[in-house]
PDB file of all heavy atoms in Angstrom:
ATOM      1  N   ILE M 370     102.838  49.920  87.909  1.00  0.00           N
ATOM      2  CA  ILE M 370     103.670  50.934  87.175  1.00  0.00           C
ATOM      3  C   ILE M 370     103.882  50.393  85.728  1.00  0.00           C
ATOM      4  O   ILE M 370     103.882  51.172  84.767  1.00  0.00           O
ATOM      5  CB  ILE M 370     104.941  51.284  87.891  1.00  0.00           C
ATOM      6  CG1 ILE M 370     104.740  52.042  89.181  1.00  0.00           C
ATOM      7  CG2 ILE M 370     105.891  52.023  87.030  1.00  0.00           C
ATOM      8  CD1 ILE M 370     105.950  52.248  89.996  1.00  0.00           C
ATOM      9  N   ALA M 371     104.219  49.069  85.681  1.00  0.00           N
ATOM     10  CA  ALA M 371     104.574  48.473  84.382  1.00  0.00           C
ATOM     11  C   ALA M 371     103.360  48.406  83.506  1.00  0.00           C
ATOM     12  O   ALA M 371     103.513  48.088  82.306  1.00  0.00           O
ATOM     13  CB  ALA M 371     105.005  47.072  84.637  1.00  0.00           C
ATOM     14  N   THR M 372     102.116  48.721  83.971  1.00  0.00           N
ATOM     15  CA  THR M 372     100.955  48.769  83.119  1.00  0.00           C
ATOM     16  C   THR M 372     100.673  50.204  82.712  1.00  0.00           C
ATOM     17  O   THR M 372     100.526  50.603  81.570  1.00  0.00           O
ATOM     18  CB  THR M 372      99.774  48.258  83.826  1.00  0.00           C
ATOM     19  OG1 THR M 372     100.022  46.799  84.029  1.00  0.00           O
ATOM     20  CG2 THR M 372      98.534  48.254  82.880  1.00  0.00           C
ATOM     21  N   ALA M 373     100.665  51.202  83.831  1.00  0.00           N
ATOM     22  CA  ALA M 373     100.239  52.484  83.552  1.00  0.00           C
ATOM     23  C   ALA M 373     101.276  53.357  82.881  1.00  0.00           C
ATOM     24  O   ALA M 373     100.957  54.129  81.949  1.00  0.00           O
ATOM     25  CB  ALA M 373      99.892  53.196  84.954  1.00  0.00           C
ATOM     26  N   VAL M 374     102.533  53.140  83.198  1.00  0.00           N
ATOM     27  CA  VAL M 374     103.651  54.067  82.690  1.00  0.00           C
ATOM     28  C   VAL M 374     103.759  53.720  81.124  1.00  0.00           C
ATOM     29  O   VAL M 374     103.886  54.755  80.385  1.00  0.00           O
ATOM     30  CB  VAL M 374     104.977  53.920  83.468  1.00  0.00           C
ATOM     31  CG1 VAL M 374     106.085  54.616  82.788  1.00  0.00           C
ATOM     32  CG2 VAL M 374     104.687  54.424  84.851  1.00  0.00           C
ATOM     33  N   PRO M 375     103.820  52.540  80.669  1.00  0.00           N
ATOM     34  CA  PRO M 375     103.972  52.455  79.203  1.00  0.00           C
ATOM     35  C   PRO M 375     102.800  53.054  78.461  1.00  0.00           C
ATOM     36  O   PRO M 375     102.946  53.647  77.420  1.00  0.00           O
ATOM     37  CB  PRO M 375     103.914  50.833  79.058  1.00  0.00           C
ATOM     38  CG  PRO M 375     104.504  50.332  80.372  1.00  0.00           C
ATOM     39  CD  PRO M 375     103.969  51.209  81.363  1.00  0.00           C
ATOM     40  N   GLN M 376     101.548  53.019  79.076  1.00  0.00           N
ATOM     41  CA  GLN M 376     100.445  53.541  78.439  1.00  0.00           C
ATOM     42  C   GLN M 376     100.606  54.995  78.346  1.00  0.00           C
ATOM     43  O   GLN M 376     100.173  55.802  77.408  1.00  0.00           O
ATOM     44  CB  GLN M 376      99.095  53.280  79.154  1.00  0.00           C
ATOM     45  CG  GLN M 376      98.685  51.764  78.958  1.00  0.00           C
ATOM     46  CD  GLN M 376      97.335  51.442  79.685  1.00  0.00           C
ATOM     47  OE1 GLN M 376      96.969  52.168  80.542  1.00  0.00           O
ATOM     48  NE2 GLN M 376      96.739  50.452  79.305  1.00  0.00           N
ATOM     49  N   ALA M 377     101.351  55.679  79.359  1.00  0.00           N
ATOM     50  CA  ALA M 377     101.447  57.090  79.415  1.00  0.00           C
ATOM     51  C   ALA M 377     102.650  57.471  78.570  1.00  0.00           C
ATOM     52  O   ALA M 377     102.648  58.632  77.942  1.00  0.00           O
ATOM     53  CB  ALA M 377     101.634  57.509  80.919  1.00  0.00           C
ATOM     54  N   MET M 378     103.759  56.775  78.658  1.00  0.00           N
ATOM     55  CA  MET M 378     105.045  57.185  77.965  1.00  0.00           C
ATOM     56  C   MET M 378     104.885  56.786  76.573  1.00  0.00           C
ATOM     57  O   MET M 378     105.666  57.462  75.726  1.00  0.00           O
ATOM     58  CB  MET M 378     106.118  56.507  78.660  1.00  0.00           C
ATOM     59  CG  MET M 378     106.418  56.878  80.201  1.00  0.00           C
ATOM     60  SD  MET M 378     106.678  58.672  80.352  1.00  0.00           S
ATOM     61  CE  MET M 378     108.344  58.735  79.680  1.00  0.00           C
ATOM     62  N   ALA M 379     104.319  55.778  76.125  1.00  0.00           N
ATOM     63  CA  ALA M 379     104.338  55.277  74.748  1.00  0.00           C
ATOM     64  C   ALA M 379     103.940  56.397  73.710  1.00  0.00           C
ATOM     65  O   ALA M 379     104.537  56.464  72.679  1.00  0.00           O
ATOM     66  CB  ALA M 379     103.445  54.039  74.505  1.00  0.00           C
ATOM     67  N   PRO M 380     102.885  57.142  73.951  1.00  0.00           N
ATOM     68  CA  PRO M 380     102.566  58.209  72.959  1.00  0.00           C
ATOM     69  C   PRO M 380     103.755  59.138  72.784  1.00  0.00           C
ATOM     70  O   PRO M 380     104.055  59.596  71.687  1.00  0.00           O
ATOM     71  CB  PRO M 380     101.409  58.868  73.622  1.00  0.00           C
ATOM     72  CG  PRO M 380     100.793  57.906  74.428  1.00  0.00           C
ATOM     73  CD  PRO M 380     101.927  57.025  74.995  1.00  0.00           C
ATOM     74  N   LEU M 381     104.520  59.574  73.880  1.00  0.00           N
ATOM     75  CA  LEU M 381     105.645  60.448  73.733  1.00  0.00           C
ATOM     76  C   LEU M 381     106.772  59.735  72.898  1.00  0.00           C
ATOM     77  O   LEU M 381     107.278  60.293  71.939  1.00  0.00           O
ATOM     78  CB  LEU M 381     106.099  60.821  75.109  1.00  0.00           C
ATOM     79  CG  LEU M 381     107.433  61.672  75.210  1.00  0.00           C
ATOM     80  CD1 LEU M 381     107.219  63.001  74.461  1.00  0.00           C
ATOM     81  CD2 LEU M 381     107.829  61.924  76.594  1.00  0.00           C
ATOM     82  N   ILE M 382     107.123  58.530  73.252  1.00  0.00           N
ATOM     83  CA  ILE M 382     108.168  57.845  72.578  1.00  0.00           C
ATOM     84  C   ILE M 382     107.716  57.534  71.209  1.00  0.00           C
ATOM     85  O   ILE M 382     108.453  57.685  70.171  1.00  0.00           O
ATOM     86  CB  ILE M 382     108.507  56.503  73.322  1.00  0.00           C
ATOM     87  CG1 ILE M 382     109.042  56.885  74.715  1.00  0.00           C
ATOM     88  CG2 ILE M 382     109.628  55.752  72.561  1.00  0.00           C
ATOM     89  CD1 ILE M 382     109.240  55.618  75.605  1.00  0.00           C
ATOM     90  N   GLY M 383     106.491  57.045  71.050  1.00  0.00           N
ATOM     91  CA  GLY M 383     105.991  56.730  69.645  1.00  0.00           C
ATOM     92  C   GLY M 383     105.900  57.979  68.800  1.00  0.00           C
ATOM     93  O   GLY M 383     106.169  57.859  67.628  1.00  0.00           O
ATOM     94  N   ALA M 384     105.483  59.123  69.399  1.00  0.00           N
ATOM     95  CA  ALA M 384     105.481  60.341  68.676  1.00  0.00           C
ATOM     96  C   ALA M 384     106.868  60.723  68.060  1.00  0.00           C
ATOM     97  O   ALA M 384     106.999  61.076  66.932  1.00  0.00           O
ATOM     98  CB  ALA M 384     104.912  61.422  69.422  1.00  0.00           C
ATOM     99  N   GLY M 385     107.888  60.540  68.990  1.00  0.00           N
ATOM    100  CA  GLY M 385     109.296  60.782  68.526  1.00  0.00           C
ATOM    101  C   GLY M 385     109.689  59.864  67.349  1.00  0.00           C
ATOM    102  O   GLY M 385     110.331  60.240  66.348  1.00  0.00           O
ATOM    103  N   VAL M 386     109.253  58.563  67.485  1.00  0.00           N
ATOM    104  CA  VAL M 386     109.628  57.542  66.385  1.00  0.00           C
ATOM    105  C   VAL M 386     108.888  57.970  65.126  1.00  0.00           C
ATOM    106  O   VAL M 386     109.528  57.961  63.964  1.00  0.00           O
ATOM    107  CB  VAL M 386     109.193  56.162  66.795  1.00  0.00           C
ATOM    108  CG1 VAL M 386     109.371  55.192  65.674  1.00  0.00           C
ATOM    109  CG2 VAL M 386     110.044  55.737  68.010  1.00  0.00           C
ATOM    110  N   VAL M 387     107.722  58.296  65.218  1.00  0.00           N
ATOM    111  CA  VAL M 387     106.970  58.672  64.081  1.00  0.00           C
ATOM    112  C   VAL M 387     107.395  59.907  63.292  1.00  0.00           C
ATOM    113  O   VAL M 387     107.654  60.024  62.115  1.00  0.00           O
ATOM    114  CB  VAL M 387     105.371  58.879  64.365  1.00  0.00           C
ATOM    115  CG1 VAL M 387     104.635  59.434  63.233  1.00  0.00           C
ATOM    116  CG2 VAL M 387     104.761  57.504  64.762  1.00  0.00           C
ATOM    117  N   ALA M 388     107.805  60.932  64.233  1.00  0.00           N
ATOM    118  CA  ALA M 388     108.313  62.208  63.698  1.00  0.00           C
ATOM    119  C   ALA M 388     109.737  61.934  63.076  1.00  0.00           C
ATOM    120  O   ALA M 388     110.000  62.483  62.008  1.00  0.00           O
ATOM    121  CB  ALA M 388     108.438  63.268  64.840  1.00  0.00           C
ATOM    122  N   LEU M 389     110.456  61.167  63.718  1.00  0.00           N
ATOM    123  CA  LEU M 389     111.927  60.917  63.188  1.00  0.00           C
ATOM    124  C   LEU M 389     111.824  60.181  61.885  1.00  0.00           C
ATOM    125  O   LEU M 389     112.686  60.481  61.068  1.00  0.00           O
ATOM    126  CB  LEU M 389     112.702  60.103  64.304  1.00  0.00           C
ATOM    127  CG  LEU M 389     114.153  59.783  63.965  1.00  0.00           C
ATOM    128  CD1 LEU M 389     114.893  61.038  63.850  1.00  0.00           C
ATOM    129  CD2 LEU M 389     114.747  58.830  64.955  1.00  0.00           C
ATOM    130  N   LEU M 390     111.036  59.154  61.795  1.00  0.00           N
ATOM    131  CA  LEU M 390     110.927  58.359  60.568  1.00  0.00           C
ATOM    132  C   LEU M 390     109.908  58.747  59.514  1.00  0.00           C
ATOM    133  O   LEU M 390     109.901  58.213  58.455  1.00  0.00           O
ATOM    134  CB  LEU M 390     110.665  56.855  60.968  1.00  0.00           C
ATOM    135  CG  LEU M 390     111.744  56.190  61.992  1.00  0.00           C
ATOM    136  CD1 LEU M 390     111.304  54.863  62.315  1.00  0.00           C
ATOM    137  CD2 LEU M 390     113.115  56.228  61.395  1.00  0.00           C
ATOM    138  N   GLY M 391     109.123  59.658  59.951  1.00  0.00           N
ATOM    139  CA  GLY M 391     108.109  60.225  59.034  1.00  0.00           C
ATOM    140  C   GLY M 391     107.027  59.182  58.665  1.00  0.00           C
ATOM    141  O   GLY M 391     106.429  59.277  57.543  1.00  0.00           O
ATOM    142  N   GLY M 392     106.718  58.286  59.503  1.00  0.00           N
ATOM    143  CA  GLY M 392     105.668  57.345  59.236  1.00  0.00           C
ATOM    144  C   GLY M 392     105.573  56.338  60.415  1.00  0.00           C
ATOM    145  O   GLY M 392     106.208  56.459  61.438  1.00  0.00           O
ATOM    146  N   PHE M 393     104.597  55.408  60.307  1.00  0.00           N
ATOM    147  CA  PHE M 393     104.266  54.505  61.403  1.00  0.00           C
ATOM    148  C   PHE M 393     104.903  53.150  61.389  1.00  0.00           C
ATOM    149  O   PHE M 393     104.781  52.339  62.335  1.00  0.00           O
ATOM    150  CB  PHE M 393     102.693  54.403  61.464  1.00  0.00           C
ATOM    151  CG  PHE M 393     101.927  55.635  61.868  1.00  0.00           C
ATOM    152  CD1 PHE M 393     101.636  56.556  60.980  1.00  0.00           C
ATOM    153  CD2 PHE M 393     101.708  55.736  63.174  1.00  0.00           C
ATOM    154  CE1 PHE M 393     100.954  57.794  61.356  1.00  0.00           C
ATOM    155  CE2 PHE M 393     100.987  56.971  63.582  1.00  0.00           C
ATOM    156  CZ  PHE M 393     100.646  57.958  62.691  1.00  0.00           C
ATOM    157  N   MET M 394     105.578  52.796  60.212  1.00  0.00           N
ATOM    158  CA  MET M 394     106.191  51.422  60.193  1.00  0.00           C
ATOM    159  C   MET M 394     107.065  51.151  61.294  1.00  0.00           C
ATOM    160  O   MET M 394     107.019  50.219  61.984  1.00  0.00           O
ATOM    161  CB  MET M 394     106.825  51.306  58.850  1.00  0.00           C
ATOM    162  CG  MET M 394     107.629  49.872  58.689  1.00  0.00           C
ATOM    163  SD  MET M 394     108.457  49.627  57.222  1.00  0.00           S
ATOM    164  CE  MET M 394     107.157  49.348  56.018  1.00  0.00           C
ATOM    165  N   GLY M 395     108.000  52.175  61.590  1.00  0.00           N
ATOM    166  CA  GLY M 395     108.990  51.917  62.591  1.00  0.00           C
ATOM    167  C   GLY M 395     108.353  51.809  63.967  1.00  0.00           C
ATOM    168  O   GLY M 395     108.765  51.063  64.788  1.00  0.00           O
ATOM    169  N   LEU M 396     107.263  52.530  64.193  1.00  0.00           N
ATOM    170  CA  LEU M 396     106.522  52.387  65.466  1.00  0.00           C
ATOM    171  C   LEU M 396     106.011  51.043  65.703  1.00  0.00           C
ATOM    172  O   LEU M 396     106.161  50.415  66.808  1.00  0.00           O
ATOM    173  CB  LEU M 396     105.340  53.432  65.467  1.00  0.00           C
ATOM    174  CG  LEU M 396     104.438  53.386  66.778  1.00  0.00           C
ATOM    175  CD1 LEU M 396     105.284  53.779  67.989  1.00  0.00           C
ATOM    176  CD2 LEU M 396     103.242  54.311  66.489  1.00  0.00           C
TER     177      LEU M 396
END
Side-chain angles (χ1 to χ4, degrees):
I370 289 174
T372 300
V374 171
Q376 289 180 344
M378 299 296 292
L381 175 60
I382 300 172
V386 172
V387 171
L389 180 65
L390 302 180
F393 289 86
M394 176 183 285
L396 176 66

